[in-house]
Amino acid sequence: MIVGAGFAGYRAARTLARITRRRADITLLNPTDYFLYVPLLPQVAAGILEPRRVTVSLSGTLPHVRLVLGEADAVDLDGHTVACTGPEGERATLPFDRLVLAAGSVNKLLPVPGVAEHAHGFRSLPEALYLRDHVTRQVELAAAAGDRARCAARCTFVVVGAGYTGTEVAAHGQLFTDAQVREHPLRAGMRPRWLLLDVADRVLPELDERLSRTADRVLRERGVEVRTGTSVREATHEGVRLTDGEFVETRTLVWCVGVRPDPLAEALRLPLERGRLLVDPYLRVPGRPELFAAGDAAAVPDLDRPGAYTPMTAQHAWRQGRTVAHNVAASLGIGERRAYRHRDLGFVVDLGGVKAAANPLGVPLSGVAAGAVTRGYHLAAMPGNRVRVAADWLLDAVLPRQAVQLGLVRSWSVPLDTASPELVRPPDGLAPAEDPSGGAPAERRSGPGPGAEAPPGPGSAEAPDPGQAPDPVQAPDPVQDPDAGTHPEPPGPVKRSAPPPKPVPGERRKQPHRAGRTRSSSWKETHEHR
């Protein structure tokens, strides 16, 4: 059994199926039926790529692997079973002889007041779709705003974290909003404002300084305000207060400070290294011959740097998936086991348009050449949809982007503090499409308004750790609302009013599935009220 179909889990399932040649029953447990190519998510949020372009069907590309849709809730290592919850709330128990934990990572939260309520992450397809809708809505509302202050607040966008993800989101976001204001002009002398914040002394601190300087120059030339040594001290409905004391009025806070291992790893009550399961160079958990781990959930020794562990990047996860598949097969008597070693291929950072920063095989590139290398790398690294992605890039080069709101994902559907960002969550006790009062849209009443205090969420404050978001090469590293001002859309998700139950050994801590009302009951209540 393989838990998780991210870079490590997908590669492990595909490689293991090829090695065993139907001599083993392989089960893949995942909440969705697709593999998500995370490095291209910023292009989805910017309207360059359609959402399905960055997804690869699991059943279509893994024909000899049994796919089970669901989330792992608890692991019984002694009983060799995994308890899971299906997409419609059904519970099941799945047996295993060998278990590969490749559950990946979730958004990393810091103890900053208001962030859990007012910020959104950027780790999943729903979050990218929400950001695209949200940015489009804010620009349209800013264009129709009655005063300059309100217009400025709506077209100000704050991105926290200048790693791979945050840098690409800010770079693509600035181009996206600039294109939108050509269709929806703002008040005279105003343009969208993007701020990129990071406590480090430069953008892309994990990369070579030459690439960092290239990215910094492109961002500043494009108009992005890059503020190093600065982060958010407090987030409110009206804006964010920075660590330097400045208050920035905004309706958009994108949280890209990094990731933390999935809580399922911690729930196993085994030795950890900053939340990741400790494994040997063969990706096996010591003392548990049936348990393997790979990707962001595993602390894998770096054999080239004694005493260090490989970073949490998609490039490492992709390679570890292949290695763990060979070692699982070897434990079954098929082939030889191998230790995990890696060779740095370089980095690429997509800065939007024809701009990028890259150093393939250590050769620093910038401008058009880096852009060509970056897109070529992504096409080569994707396990599917290459022709469709290339076609979308071609169309984007010759046609204007379609800046429309689809309204498919609402703010309360993508809370920041969740162990399953890939799943859209309905609000407590209310189906997203229904409005039993017959009044304002349900989304506007799903969170606290100005001056209101949101119900306490689960204890999600995390101490900083060196985990980082996947990068493009190390990875191969949001109904229009009238601008009335009295009932603004809450920027954050609804939180649970009761704290989560204490975990038991092997149980995953996450938000439960919430049952919504049926259409018939909501319709009846609405008309009875009228």
Side-chain angles (χ1 to χ4, degrees):
M1 174 175 292
I2 302 170
V3 176
F7 281 91
Y10 179 85
R11 186 79 181 277
R14 193 173 72 173
T15 305
L16 190 59
R18 176 179 55 83
I19 295 174
T20 58
R21 299 180 181 180
R22 302 191 186 186
R23 287 179 287 175
D25 295 325
I26 306 171
T27 299
L28 179 61
L29 177 63
N30 197 59
T32 64
D33 65 349
Y34 59 80
F35 161 77
L36 177 64
Y37 190 75
V38 177
L40 290 182
L41 273 183
Q43 297 193 26
V44 173
I48 299 174
L49 296 177
E50 289 301 312
R52 286 186 294 179
R53 303 295 188 257
V54 299
T55 62
V56 177
S57 170
L58 296 179
S59 57
T61 56
L62 302 174
H64 304 307
V65 175
R66 176 195 175 202
L67 174 62
V68 176
L69 293 179
E71 295 181 272
D73 298 321
V75 177
D76 183 355
L77 294 176
D78 296 327
H80 284 208
T81 60
V82 174
C84 63
T85 301
E88 296 182 353
E90 66 276 16
R91 305 298 294 268
T93 301
L94 306 174
F96 66 84
D97 294 310
R98 301 289 187 274
L99 177 65
V100 178
L101 184 64
S105 55
V106 298
N107 292 313
K108 181 175 68 175
L109 293 178
L110 302 180
V112 179
V115 164
E117 292 76 23
H118 299 290
H120 288 282
F122 200 81
R123 290 278 301 141
S124 66
L125 195 57
E127 289 171 326
L129 290 174
Y130 167 75
L131 183 60
R132 184 169 71 176
D133 271 8
H134 175 77
V135 169
T136 301
R137 178 170 61 251
Q138 296 307 312
V139 172
E140 292 173 348
L141 294 177
D147 59 79
R148 295 181 66 89
R150 187 173 297 166
C151 176
R154 289 197 179 278
C155 63
T156 298
F157 308 93
V158 178
V159 181
V160 184
Y164 304 101
T165 303
T167 299
E168 291 185 339
V169 168
H172 282 281
Q174 184 73 67
L175 291 179
F176 183 44
T177 52
D178 284 349
Q180 283 185 281
V181 297
R182 288 194 287 268
E183 301 294 331
H184 302 279
L186 303 178
R187 300 175 69 88
M190 301 187 67
R191 64 168 296 190
R193 178 190 181 195
W194 285 79
L195 285 79
L196 179 61
L197 314 176
D198 200 295
V199 294
D201 59 356
R202 59 186 176 95
V203 300
L204 301 172
E206 305 89 352
L207 296 187
D208 180 82
E209 289 192 11
R210 289 174 294 183
L211 298 186
S212 178
R213 287 195 299 267
T214 298
D216 186 272
R217 184 184 71 252
V218 171
L219 291 172
R220 294 181 187 274
E221 290 175 351
R222 198 168 287 170
V224 176
E225 297 182 32
V226 179
R227 300 196 183 185
T228 56
T230 307
S231 189
V232 172
R233 176 181 298 170
E234 181 185 10
T236 69
H237 173 74
E238 299 298 330
V240 295
R241 185 167 300 282
L242 307 184
T243 52
D244 61 7
E246 180 183 354
F247 185 81
V248 178
E249 293 190 12
T250 181
R251 300 295 182 269
T252 307
L253 179 58
V254 187
W255 195 253
C256 302
V257 298
V259 295
R260 59 188 173 94
D262 190 285
L264 185 60
E266 182 182 356
L268 293 177
R269 304 289 181 87
L270 294 173
L272 301 173
E273 169 63 29
R274 295 187 180 275
R276 296 192 285 172
L277 277 178
L278 281 170
V279 298
D280 60 23
Y282 301 96
L283 307 181
R284 174 175 282 182
V285 177
R288 287 289 180 177
E290 76 282 5
L291 179 60
F292 297 79
D296 291 352
V300 182
D302 190 337
L303 298 182
D304 294 327
R305 296 185 303 161
Y309 299 93
T310 58
M312 298 167 62
T313 64
Q315 186 185 78
H316 281 291
W318 185 252
R319 296 174 176 183
Q320 289 169 9
R322 179 182 59 188
T323 301
V324 77
H326 282 280
N327 292 336
V328 169
S331 72
L332 300 174
I334 304 173
E336 299 283 337
R337 70 174 188 168
R338 56 182 67 176
Y340 177 71
R341 289 184 179 273
H342 68 92
R343 183 172 64 91
D344 187 7
L345 298 178
F347 302 84
V348 298
V349 181
D350 185 4
L351 300 176
V354 296
K355 301 292 183 68
N359 63 345
L361 302 178
V363 180
L365 298 174
S366 61
V368 178
V373 169
T374 298
R375 293 202 169 185
Y377 173 81
H378 287 316
L379 285 181
M382 289 192 67
N385 291 346
R386 296 186 181 95
V387 174
R388 290 185 172 93
V389 170
D392 275 4
W393 284 342
L394 178 62
L395 291 175
D396 181 70
V398 300
L399 296 176
R401 298 181 194 175
Q402 295 176 297
V404 296
Q405 301 177 53
L406 300 180
L408 300 178
V409 182
R410 305 300 182 90
S411 60
W412 32 254
S413 301
V414 283
L416 184 63
D417 56 343
T418 174
S420 302
E422 67 278 0
L423 296 179
V424 174
R425 303 290 184 181
D428 288 317
L430 182 65
E434 303 300 333
D435 181 19
S437 68
E443 179 184 7
R444 293 179 55 194
R445 295 182 287 103
S446 63
E453 182 176 351
S460 56
E462 293 289 326
D465 63 48
Q468 57 186 17
D471 57 285
V473 169
Q474 281 295 67
D477 214 68
V479 176
Q480 283 215 24
D481 202 6
D483 191 18
T486 56
H487 300 286
E489 178 199 23
V494 171
K495 305 298 176 183
R496 295 183 299 185
S497 58
K502 295 182 179 180
V504 298
E507 182 178 6
R508 183 184 194 175
R509 294 176 291 178
K510 63 179 182 178
Q511 292 186 348
H513 290 276
R514 297 165 178 160
R517 299 183 186 181
T518 63
R519 184 176 181 85
S520 58
S521 63
S522 297
W523 180 90
K524 180 179 178 181
E525 292 174 10
T526 300
H527 284 265
E528 285 179 350
H529 174 74
R530 292 178 180 174

